[in-house]
Amino acid sequence: MKGFKRQKRTRQEPQQRTDSREEQTDLVKKDAKLEDVLLENDVLSAKSKSVSRRDLLKLAGVGGLGLLLGGGGVGAVLTASQRLESMMTDADTKDVVPFYGKHQAGIVTPAQDFICFAAFDLTTSDKERVRSLFKAWTEATATMISGALIGNDNENLNLPPSDTGEAAGLSASRTTITFGVGPSFFDGRYGLAELKPAGFRELPRFQGDALDDQWCGGDIGVQVCANDLQVAFHALRNLARIARGTAVLRWTQEGFQRTAQADPAGSTPRNLLGFKDGTGNPDTSKADEMNRLVWTQASDGPAWMGGGSYMAVRRVRMRVEVWDRSTLGDQEDTFGRHRSSGAPLGKAKEFDELDLAATSPEGKPTTPPTSHVALAHGDGSINILRRSYSYSSGLDKQTGQLDAGLLFISYQRDLFKQFVHIQEKLARNDKLNEYIVHKGSAVFACFPGVSQGGYIGDTLF
């Protein structure tokens, strides 16, 4: 900012000595060139002195370089931008998932190592305060996903820091933050009831559900994913801090997968029962497939959800102590896949085609019809995008067993035609039900992506 002030003073002095309009025009042109030169000098100076990689990432993430450069000429901004970008290493760019775009990040983004999920309840009936919250969350999210600290008051001894600080010095860790609103958001408090998507409601109670209110529902759902748990926690903590006075946490759940360090090949993660989880996911690189299965289309209505997606969340407790006493044969029949390779029963490789009509020499189905994979796959016409994480929340003091399992998350274009259709079959007949119990449930309508200058949820508000 010192450089900007210097430019102002330099431009005023020659103007006072100029009498003719022609001379003024010439001076303006010269000043513009001088401004560009000063601007570039400041940038070059910054390169050698004060601008850190973290500063650059923050500038790129929050509002673009033009904000920093004080509205200098377009050419100067572009030049400076190119120079600044050249200072960012490959590690920087690979470590940051873009925030702005047609769709929210964190849905088809390759799953990171950790998740911090939270459901919030709004404590205000003032729609403008809710809008302001989403604007504040937008700014904070754009900053945090770039690996920078929030705000400018992190060195002032007379003020509480504007960022909680536990992520200082840590990388962006491919953080994504994904926002959605639950059915209760449209209950009439904010005059948005008419904009509630048709049929959008909490999931029905499925057979065998043992839901606990402490893991259910929420006005707003926030999914934070990152390759570092402390970075993910930092993001969620700061969002909760920013929400004070407008929203409070209803429930949270942390989760994990295998890390890239433990599995450089990036193979399909295994759940806590030891089996690969996500083999049958659709290919997220195929845009047509994602439009068919995941992204809400304009024709689906309402218009504000175009480009968004519906999120189903289930907290599934696994009875790992019981599972650990079952034979490998029973376990594989339960899943319908081989534990070591993840291949369908009777096949050799994980991604070999599932053949539910195949039989053994004795005429029995190779894949039990009530196995998890057989019921989830069905005839193959209905699919969802799974984005689940394992969780471990210590000991259940009532049973003395581990409170561990799966934070199941899926994204789909239509909750009831896709997720509910599959889950109803699983709830009735899945062999896996002997070893699991659903304790939590929530659904959220996730907004489309955010454009530069916009804010999360602006298509709804």
Side-chain angles (χ1 to χ4, degrees):
M1 299 305 290
K2 292 179 180 178
F4 182 76
K5 292 179 180 178
R6 285 202 303 275
Q7 296 158 28
K8 289 286 187 183
R9 288 197 296 272
T10 306
R11 293 182 63 174
Q12 289 171 353
E13 292 170 0
Q15 287 177 346
Q16 295 170 355
R17 298 195 298 270
T18 303
D19 295 324
S20 71
R21 178 174 297 178
E22 191 172 293
E23 287 175 325
Q24 287 181 359
T25 301
D26 289 339
L27 283 174
V28 168
K29 292 179 179 178
K30 291 178 180 178
D31 285 346
K33 291 181 179 179
L34 178 59
E35 185 175 14
D36 286 351
V37 171
L38 290 172
L39 192 58
E40 290 210 35
N41 284 341
D42 284 345
V43 171
L44 292 172
S45 176
K47 181 176 180 179
S48 62
K49 293 181 179 178
S50 59
V51 180
S52 67
R53 290 192 303 114
R54 181 173 295 277
D55 294 328
L56 300 177
L57 294 170
K58 179 177 180 180
L59 293 169
V62 174
L65 294 166
L67 294 179
L68 169 72
L69 300 176
V74 173
V77 171
L78 290 175
T79 301
S81 174
Q82 291 162 355
R83 288 181 180 276
L84 289 172
E85 286 177 358
S86 70
M87 297 165 62
M88 297 171 66
T89 66
D90 287 345
D92 291 329
T93 55
K94 291 179 180 177
D95 206 38
V96 177
V97 178
F99 173 64
Y100 297 103
K102 181 179 180 181
H103 308 293
Q104 286 197 74
I107 297 177
V108 300
T109 307
Q112 300 91 325
D113 297 339
F114 301 98
I115 185 173
C116 285
F117 186 89
F120 287 85
D121 278 341
L122 290 162
T123 57
T124 179
S125 57
D126 185 342
K127 178 181 172 182
E128 289 308 311
R129 291 187 64 180
V130 180
R131 188 202 307 271
S132 296
L133 173 61
F134 277 111
K135 288 182 176 178
W137 274 353
T138 301
E139 182 177 354
T141 298
T143 301
M144 292 189 290
I145 64 100
S146 68
L149 300 183
I150 297 172
N152 299 314
D153 292 320
N154 288 303
E155 304 295 337
N156 190 333
L157 296 177
N158 298 315
L159 291 173
S162 50
D163 188 289
T164 53
E166 66 268 42
L170 303 182
S171 73
S173 303
R174 294 191 61 75
T175 300
T176 57
I177 307 176
T178 311
F179 297 84
V181 290
S184 58
F185 188 84
F186 300 93
D187 61 6
R189 283 173 290 174
Y190 312 110
L192 299 172
E194 293 183 356
L195 294 175
K196 181 180 178 181
F200 181 49
R201 58 187 183 277
E202 296 292 348
L203 297 174
R205 183 173 287 267
F206 299 102
Q207 183 174 324
D209 275 0
L211 301 181
D212 187 330
D213 285 344
Q214 68 173 315
W215 306 112
C216 293
D219 291 333
I220 300 172
V222 180
Q223 172 198 275
V224 180
C225 297
N227 284 337
D228 184 275
L229 183 55
Q230 183 150 323
V231 170
F233 176 82
H234 162 263
L236 186 57
R237 176 186 176 189
N238 278 276
L239 293 178
R241 180 179 57 82
I242 292 168
R244 284 174 189 160
T246 304
V248 295
L249 286 168
R250 181 183 177 96
W251 61 276
T252 66
Q253 182 63 62
E254 296 175 357
F256 57 89
Q257 293 186 351
R258 80 287 181 269
T259 64
Q261 183 178 15
D263 181 12
S267 57
T268 306
R270 293 181 184 273
N271 57 37
L272 296 184
L273 301 182
F275 281 73
K276 292 178 179 289
D277 193 328
T279 300
N281 255 348
D283 187 346
T284 56
S285 67
K286 296 181 178 178
D288 290 347
E289 190 78 342
M290 293 300 98
N291 285 331
R292 185 175 69 85
L293 296 173
V294 176
W295 303 126
T296 304
Q297 303 299 300
S299 57
D300 297 335
W304 65 267
M305 269 296 288
S309 187
Y310 292 97
M311 178 204 300
V313 185
R314 304 282 285 181
R315 188 179 190 271
V316 184
R317 169 88 175 270
M318 291 178 169
R319 299 184 175 109
V320 294
E321 291 85 357
V322 179
W323 179 260
D324 292 345
R325 293 196 289 270
S326 62
T327 67
L328 178 59
D330 286 341
Q331 292 181 0
E332 292 193 339
D333 280 346
T334 297
F335 271 99
R337 290 186 178 275
H338 294 294
R339 190 176 81 156
S340 59
S341 65
L345 295 182
K347 300 292 182 67
K349 298 180 180 178
E350 178 184 358
F351 296 103
D352 283 348
E353 185 177 356
L354 179 66
D355 182 4
L356 297 179
T359 58
S360 67
E362 294 77 25
K364 295 182 178 180
T366 304
T367 305
T370 56
S371 64
H372 186 73
V373 69
L375 292 169
H377 182 272
D379 63 5
S381 62
I382 297 176
N383 204 353
I384 55 179
L385 178 62
R386 297 164 61 97
R387 209 174 195 284
S388 302
Y389 288 81
S390 297
Y391 78 82
S392 175
S393 295
L395 190 68
D396 183 335
K397 293 182 179 179
Q398 291 185 333
T399 64
Q401 297 179 332
L402 290 172
D403 180 9
L406 186 73
L407 182 63
F408 172 94
I409 294 177
S410 69
Y411 288 93
Q412 46 271 307
R413 180 177 169 182
D414 189 303
L415 274 171
F416 282 77
K417 291 180 180 177
Q418 294 173 260
F419 175 78
V420 173
H421 175 83
I422 295 172
Q423 183 56 32
E424 284 181 336
K425 291 189 300 179
L426 293 172
R428 286 195 299 267
N429 297 311
D430 191 357
K431 288 172 67 69
L432 190 59
N433 291 338
E434 180 180 352
Y435 307 101
I436 62 172
V437 59
H438 289 238
K439 302 292 289 186
S441 179
V443 293
F444 300 97
C446 296
F447 302 111
V450 184
S451 302
Q452 286 274 3
Y455 63 92
I456 298 160
D458 56 3
T459 57
L460 173 61
F461 287 98

